[in-house]
């Protein structure tokens, strides 16, 4: 039945698809952080309309499965953009996946960033203002550098969650590590071994990500203690 | 956008709320029942066992839910018939309710997650509480039941809410292994007319409502807890 030696033959094949998984997570993290920062700023600064829109969007993205979001983006975005004369039906499927995961991650990133900024003591704002810094300068030079170490654990959790969720992209036909495992399993009728090999890769990636954010959080704290 | 069909799909999705909720709540309950003792063992000074459990939890949390579900599905499809035959029972995998398989996978995930929650909540109760209970002459079991567990509720609530919401959302993954839940209910309604966008939007709205409801119930519970323990 279960033949562990197949795991070793499958691993190199699955690793060929690792760039797809990492690319997905990387793009979603970069775009998600940027979007998340914008959403967080809109809410922190109570910008009219934008703040309310961000709140609703974040609630929706956090309250619905990423699997459903993926299909809503896949079927909905072409229709939405057709309305303003842009044809994206020919786009590569992976772009819809990037957009879905970037949006999904942005909601969690935004909450992490917002909580961290609110955790910076109010007197830091007063001190920055007393030095004659503008709002933008205060954010850039005083508040965000102090918010970052507070946000690291939450950002890490979002990143790990994103890594795990990326395994759902196969349901739209993306050949990431998970998608590759599924096709390999079907081709060789050794599905269990193929899934085990994929599990090994995901477990290692998760442990690496956890360890990375753990050390990042610690070194940040140490740096703070020194200054 | 066909709003009339959106309404039809919404009804089809809402009709499957019991399926999605049982996929979330049964593993959630099992996760609490198994996760609490697991967390207690991990905090104990027993040899080896705490480390083994810690390793196991880390492993489980590293495996995506969909992968876990597919593994359970393959395992069940390969072994269920033979196992039932050896027991002399007439049940076959074909007739097996696939939500049991999906639920089993979600239970493993919920147990690991709840174990982590209880571990955090246990750590939030200061050592002095144990000392005071010991000084008052309580036994270990009495200390746990009357002193420690009640104080774990408040710190455990926020993360418990997150996990329950995550379980409701993860239950949607069961639709990939042919379980008819909220998501599949909506999609099946669209099978005749290919209006999948409306179907997925309908499913999303139902999930959104469920998650908001759970979050608000927990928010109320947290408020109640805070008032009760405010001195």
């Amino acid at each position: 039945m279960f033949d562990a030696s197949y795991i070793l033959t499958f691993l190199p094949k699955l690793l060929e698809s690792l760039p797809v998984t990492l690319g997905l997570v990387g793009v979603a993290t970069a775009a998600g952080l940027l979007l998340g920062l914008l959403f967080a700023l809109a809410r922190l600064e109570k910008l009219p309309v934008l703040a309310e829109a961000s709140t609703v969007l974040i609630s929706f993205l956090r309250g619905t499965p990423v699997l459903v979001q993926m299909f809503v983006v896949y079927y909905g975005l072409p229709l939405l953009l057709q309305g303003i004369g842009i044809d994206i039906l020919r786009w590569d499927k992976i772009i819809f996946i990037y957009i879905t995961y970037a949006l999904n991650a942005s909601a969690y990133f935004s909450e992490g960033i917002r909580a961290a900024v609110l955790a910076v003591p109010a007197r830091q704002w007063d001190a920055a203002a007393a030095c004659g810094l503008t709002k933008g300068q205060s954010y850039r030079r005083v508040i965000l550098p102090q918010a970052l170490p507070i946000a690291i654990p939450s950002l890490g959790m979002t990143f790990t969650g994103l890594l795990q969720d990326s395994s759902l992209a196969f349901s739209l036909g993306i050949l990431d590590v998970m998608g590759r495992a599924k096709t390999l399993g079907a081709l060789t009728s050794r599905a269990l071994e193929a899934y085990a090999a994929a599990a090994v890769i995901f477990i290692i990636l998760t442990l690496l990500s956890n360890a990375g954010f753990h050390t990042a959080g610690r070194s940040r704290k140490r740096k703070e203690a020194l200054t | 956008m066909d709003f009339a069909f959106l309404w039809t799909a919404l009804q089809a999705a809402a009709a499957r709320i019991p399926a999605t909720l049982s996929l979330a709540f049964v593993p959630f309950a099992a996760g609490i029942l198994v996760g609490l003792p697991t967390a207690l063992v991990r905090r104990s000074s027993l040899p080896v066992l705490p480390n083994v459990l810690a390793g196991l939890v880390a492993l489980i949390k590293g495996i995506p839910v969909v992968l876990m579900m597919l593994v359970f599905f393959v395992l069940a499809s390969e072994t269920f018939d033979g196992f039932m035959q050896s027991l002399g029972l007439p049940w076959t995998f074909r007739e097996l309710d696939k939500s049991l398989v999906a639920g089993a996978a979600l239970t493993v995930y919920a147990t690991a997650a709840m174990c982590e929650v209880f571990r955090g909540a246990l750590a939030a109760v200061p050592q002095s509480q144990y000392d005071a209970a010991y000084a008052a002459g309580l036994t270990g079991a009495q200390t746990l039941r009357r002193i420690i567990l009640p104080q774990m509720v408040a710190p455990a609530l926020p993360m418990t809410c997150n996990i329950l919401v995550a379980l409701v959302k993860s239950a949607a993954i069961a639709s990939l292994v042919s379980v008819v839940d909220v998501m599949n209910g909506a999609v099946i309604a669209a099978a005749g007319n290919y209006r999948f966008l409306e179907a997925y939007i309908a499913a999303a709205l139902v999930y959104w409502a469920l998650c908001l409801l759970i979050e608000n119930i927990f928010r109320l519970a947290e408020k109640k807890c805070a008032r009760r323990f405010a001195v």
Side-chain angles (χ1 to χ4, degrees), chain B residues 66-80:
Chain B
V66 62
L67 194 52
M68 188 99 76
M69 239 180 236
L70 289 171
V71 166
F72 272 56
F73 202 76
V74 174
L75 271 179
S77 72
E78 285 182 0
T79 61
F80 188 79

Side-chain angles (χ1 to χ4, degrees), chain A residues 40-132:
Chain A
L41 287 178
R43 290 186 69 183
L44 285 164
E45 291 304 312
K46 300 193 175 68
L47 299 177
V49 187
L50 286 178
E52 288 79 16
S54 301
T55 308
V56 173
L57 185 63
I58 289 168
S59 166
F60 177 81
L61 290 168
R62 283 163 49 103
T64 51
V66 72
L67 191 61
V68 178
Q69 290 167 13
M70 199 153 72
F71 287 103
V72 169
V73 169
Y74 182 65
Y75 288 111
L77 200 60
L79 219 62
L80 199 70
L81 292 186
Q82 222 171 33
I84 52 171
I86 305 171
D87 183 23
I88 59 163
L89 276 170
R90 298 266 178 80
W91 272 11
D92 195 340
K93 275 182 182 175
I94 192 89
I95 297 175
F96 296 102
I97 298 280
Y98 288 154
I99 294 172
T100 306
Y101 282 97
L103 278 173
N104 183 265
S106 77
Y108 294 91
F109 281 141
S110 149
E111 290 295 272
I113 294 168
R114 201 172 67 96
V117 167
L118 289 175
V120 175
R123 57 173 187 275
Q124 295 290 329
W125 281 108
D126 303 339
C131 291

